[in-house]
Amino acid sequence: MSHAPWLAIRKEPPARRSAILTVLSFVLPLVIWCLVSYVPFIWHPLVEITDSGDSIYLEKGGLVDRASFEQENARIASENGRQARGVRANPVYLPAPHEVARAMYTAFTTEPRRPEEPWLHESLWHSIRVVFLAFWISSIIGVPLGILCGVFGLISKLFEPFIEFFRYLPAPVFGALAVAVLGIGDGPKIAIIFIGTFFQQVLVIANTTRKVEPALIEAAQTLGARGATLVRRVVLPAISPHIYRDMRILLGWAWTYLIVAEVVGASTGITWFINQQAKYRIYENVYAAILIIGVIGFGTDYLLGVIEKNLFVWNGGRRNRFFRFIMDPAPPIRARAAAAPGRSAIVREPSEG
Amino acid sequence: MHAIELPSYKEQSPEVADRMARLRERPVIMEARSITKRFPSEQGENTALLNVSLHARRREFLSIIGPSGCGKSTLIRILAGLESATEGAVLLEGKVVSVPGPERGMVFQGYTLFPWLTIKRNVMFGLQVGGLSDMLAESEAMQWIEMVGLADFADHYPHQLSGGMKQRVAIARALANRPRVLLMDEPFGALDAQTRARMQSYLLQIWRKVDITIIFITHDLDEAVYLSDRILVLKANPGEVAELIEVPVPQPRSPKQFLSLEFLAVKARLEELIHPDSGVEDELPMLRLTCVDDEVT
């Protein structure tokens, strides 16, 4: 093991330690959950009745809190009846990890209670479609508008003050209005995610665009570029990795608005599923659905991160074999010759500080 | 004053005088006519440049030097068209120019290669913007990349190159457009001393091979004397022309000349102009850090 200090300020831990810490960041919450679920004396505030004895109201399989259970047994004891028996248990709203893990599978295979209701995978697909549709609509307007605001002072002054005002209006307050205008289908849901994403998007993209190194634009100007050519050949490529990163963050916001949007009008999608399962008190399904949302969000972001590294090689990324295969043309002859060992045509300069 | 007796910096050997005479007969490529630049500031107006005129003739190497705050960077940015003058005009081969254009190439102090393009594509940029086909632009670009000795790095990205290499690419990129004049704004300012010396000799070699007029901003006296035919010295507050010096050091230049009498004479004159108070040390307020008595006893 390395001897790097554990609490070094602003320093990356060594690679192996980083990997261990990453795994731990997921394992630790899981461990806490396991402890609370499987070790009886840590919490377990209730008693699950295994034998109701001579009790009048305790039922086998029922849950009562410990104080009531002991009181009831004390009463039975005073009447010389048969004691009720039970084991300590957690409330229904805290299922154990293995129950949730099982639910992650069974939730998909369990038939809906009523035939007209959607299966879990249908609910999930519905949610994903709504998020991506709304994000897509927001982006095809928001990204170009943001870039235009960042490039041209005129457009920035014309649009940004109003957008700045509008973004302080919380998207959910438009729920009733959206239903009135767009009916009870997916329309109002998409509208709410759009409102939540679009206005932030324009401002974020405009700010990113304004951060283009002015020296790069000036250099391009002295090389003869101007107007649309300057925007297309310098501004767009310069901001592209930053825009990409902005979009990753904004997609996360769109996901957050999904949950609000899905209870507007007729409840649908994953939110409907969660509410429904909570109503049936099948909490392991609730947890499973929440975890699935997390996995989809995290997975999408991870995937986008990998694509980012492979797309923007010039920004410090690195292409893996798959992306090299689709994106890089065959290397030119000169580069291959230069890569051949034993040939150094050029004296490399000593490194400069 | 000086440890060795220096000749006058105005004394020119017959060869140098001859070269200067020939230079004066060449056509003027770039001209600045009484440029004045004022910035609005809190105390009304701030004059950065006052009535600065200059002209650079074909294949001349003209340096502009001056103390910090003399507006030399502003001047070259006005020549490039990146800023506009409050008064006065910039002429390129007799025509007034006011916006940046490909006939005035520029190399900046910072690294301004486009990081998303390979070296080859960076050099091709101006050619493609100018409407050349990709094939032609590529073969043209490769010639310039070869000239600055970076053919093996043509498919590298800028972040894979050292600072000196990046500036060589920047020079190739500017020259590929076949500009009439190359404007250089302290291009080697960010490099370490050894790399800078090497870059200076690269630049002289390129200048000898290419039909190009160079206007070069620097604050380094040695660099100015070593590279230039003529040096325009500015003074600060406001930025005005102090003197235009014809460098009496014979061409072609070599690092050996750094200690020649002509070289030192010019340098001494530049010192006089740029640091007029030299000899009188700026007095810092003294802080007593230790007790003097302790050290004595």
Side-chain angles (χ1 to χ4, degrees), chain A residues 251 288 325:
Chain A
L251 184 58
F325 176 72

Side-chain angles (χ1 to χ4, degrees), chain A residues 22 70 105 115 117 193 197 241 244 267 281 283 346 348-349:
Chain A
T22 305
E70 256 132 49
Y105 172 74
E117 283 174 0
I193 301 178
T197 316
Y244 190 94
S267 178
R281 295 173 70 80
Y283 284 97
I346 195 155
R348 217 191 146 96
E349 283 177 82

Side-chain angles (χ1 to χ4, degrees), chain A residues 131-161:
Chain A
V131 171
F132 280 91
L133 198 59
F135 188 70
W136 175 247
I137 295 172
S138 168
S139 298
I140 48 173
I141 311 171
V143 173
L145 184 58
I147 292 174
L148 287 175
C149 284
V151 173
F152 299 107
L154 175 99
I155 296 179
S156 159
K157 287 285 171 295
L158 186 60
F159 284 94
E160 279 188 64

Side-chain angles (χ1 to χ4, degrees), chain A residues 218 223 233 314 332 346 349 352, chain B residues 77 115 128 149 164 168 195:
Chain A
E218 291 182 346
L223 291 166
R233 299 191 73 132
W314 54 271
I346 195 155
E349 283 177 82
E352 287 151 21
Chain B
R77 288 173 60 80
Q128 288 172 318
R168 268 147 72 191
T195 312

Side-chain angles (χ1 to χ4, degrees), chain A residues 175 179 183-185 188-189 261-268:
Chain A
V179 172
I184 53 160
K189 300 173 204 307
E262 280 185 339
V263 292
V264 168
S267 178
T268 55

Side-chain angles (χ1 to χ4, degrees), chain A residues 10-11 20 23 37 55 57 64 67 85 157 160 171 181-182 208 221 240 324 339 344 346:
Chain A
R10 299 269 319 149
K11 285 239 166 65
I20 295 172
V23 173
S37 301
S55 169
Y57 73 91
V64 283
R85 261 182 293 223
K157 287 285 171 295
E160 279 188 64
V181 177
L182 297 163
T208 301
Q221 284 176 321
S240 56
R324 273 206 303 275
S344 60
I346 195 155

Side-chain angles (χ1 to χ4, degrees), chain A residues 17-88:
Chain A
R17 197 186 287 169
S18 290
I20 295 172
L21 291 171
T22 305
V23 173
L24 267 185
S25 83
F26 282 91
V27 168
L28 279 180
L30 193 62
V31 166
I32 293 171
W33 187 14
C34 287
L35 285 176
V36 174
S37 301
Y38 299 131
V39 185
F41 48 83
I42 289 187
W43 191 38
H44 290 63
L46 303 181
V47 175
E48 187 183 351
I49 311 299
T50 50
D51 176 2
S52 56
D54 283 342
S55 169
I56 311 156
Y57 73 91
L58 293 179
E59 277 173 40
K60 190 164 185 255
L63 286 172
V64 283
D65 65 85
R66 267 192 353 246
S68 325
F69 178 77
E70 256 132 49
Q71 212 181 350
E72 177 69 0
N73 261 353
R75 196 187 58 78
I76 296 171
S78 69
E79 292 170 6
N80 288 325
R82 198 160 55 84
Q83 292 271 308
R85 261 182 293 223
V87 288
R88 289 175 65 163

Side-chain angles (χ1 to χ4, degrees), chain B residues 21 25 27 39 72 122 126 157 170 177 205 219 222 229 257-258 286 297:
Chain B
E25 277 162 27
F39 291 107
K72 50 189 191 291
N122 261 285
Y157 283 97
N177 261 1
Q205 287 175 43
H219 62 260
D222 284 306
D229 289 315
Q257 292 166 323
F258 273 101
M286 288 301 291
T297 50

